[in-house]
């Protein structure tokens, strides 16, 4: 069984040919897909995709590039939305220092996503780019302060240190 654990079926490039994308995935032996949320405020679109296709599940979360737009999203909101029957993960959330951005908003949103992951028991899909030291420190701090939570450092491009520290906390690392 092959599962695509991270795709964005709502993105315009894929949405324009969603039926074709799903057919090609099935032809390649992919039996399931998780379409990943990048904006909680577009969650209805994500859940509609998952509801329309039995082989698709979804996550709920805010990508770090959009964190400044969704500072009104609280832990309780994420937990409530994660109750959807097709939701299998929290995120994608994290830290991205590759481009200039509101890094404080990213950290605030990320901590909320961690709390939601911890409360729901759903894995947190972590986006981390050019932020290895801060990501490792934040993961260790949160794991120590509030207890462990399931997570995957997705599409990993970081260094050995962050990978080792994430694995030591019980997380997973995904290479594309």
């Amino acid at each position: 069984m092959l599962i695509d654990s991270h795709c964005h079926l709502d993105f315009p490039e894929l949405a324009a040919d969603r039926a074709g994308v799903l057919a090609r995935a099935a032809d390649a032996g992919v039996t399931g897909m998780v379409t990943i949320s990048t904006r909680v405020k577009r969650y209805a679109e994500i859940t509609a995709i998952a509801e329309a296709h039995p082989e698709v599940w979804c996550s709920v979360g805010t990508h770090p590039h959009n964190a400044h737009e969704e500072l009104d999203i609280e832990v309780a909101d994420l937990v409530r939305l994660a109750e959807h029957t097709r939701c299998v993960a929290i995120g994608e959330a994290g830290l991205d220092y590759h481009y200039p951005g509101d890094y404080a908003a990213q950290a605030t949103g990320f901590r909320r996503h961690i709390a939601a992951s911890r409360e729901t028991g759903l894995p947190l899909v972590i986006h981390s780019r050019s932020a290895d030291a801060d990501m490792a420190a934040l993961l260790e701090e949160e794991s120590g302060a509030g207890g462990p939570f399931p997570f995957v450092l997705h599409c990993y491009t970081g260094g050995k240190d962050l990978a080792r520290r994430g694995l030591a906390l019980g997380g997973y690392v995904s290479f594309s």
Side-chain angles (χ1 to χ4, degrees):
M1 176 188 316
L2 291 176
I3 304 290
D4 181 343
S5 67
H6 195 109
C7 61
H8 296 281
L9 296 174
D10 62 316
F11 282 14
E13 316 75 63
L14 298 178
D17 182 31
R18 189 173 297 132
V21 169
L22 294 171
R24 288 187 297 279
D27 289 347
V30 176
T31 59
M33 304 170 92
V34 181
T35 190
I36 302 295
S37 173
T38 59
R39 286 183 168 90
V40 172
K41 292 177 180 167
R42 293 183 55 200
Y43 188 57
E45 182 180 348
I46 296 290
T47 57
I49 294 167
E51 290 167 355
H53 305 283
E55 70 277 24
V56 177
W57 291 266
C58 67
S59 72
V60 59
T62 305
H63 190 283
H65 290 167
N66 307 319
H68 66 284
E69 300 169 8
E70 296 196 339
L71 287 174
D72 59 325
I73 304 296
E74 298 290 340
V75 174
D77 299 316
L78 294 167
V79 169
R80 178 180 48 78
L81 293 168
E83 292 174 354
H84 191 283
T85 59
R86 304 298 293 169
C87 184
V88 296
I90 303 293
E92 133 182 40
L95 304 174
D96 191 326
Y97 297 171
H98 184 74
Y99 299 110
D102 186 339
Y103 304 141
Q106 290 181 21
T108 296
F110 186 45
R111 288 179 190 277
R112 291 176 184 169
H113 284 74
I114 289 171
S117 172
R118 190 180 288 120
E119 188 169 332
T120 62
L122 293 175
L124 176 60
V125 179
I126 298 176
H127 175 101
S128 180
R129 183 164 52 165
S130 303
D132 283 18
D134 286 351
M135 178 57 71
L138 200 149
L139 289 173
E140 290 167 349
E141 176 187 330
E142 284 290 331
S143 292
F149 53 94
F151 68 87
V152 60
L153 291 159
H154 97 85
C155 192
Y156 193 73
T157 60
K160 290 179 191 176
D161 185 58
L162 175 57
R164 286 186 180 126
R165 290 165 78 178
L167 293 170
L169 294 171
Y172 292 87
V173 179
S174 164
F175 299 93
S176 59

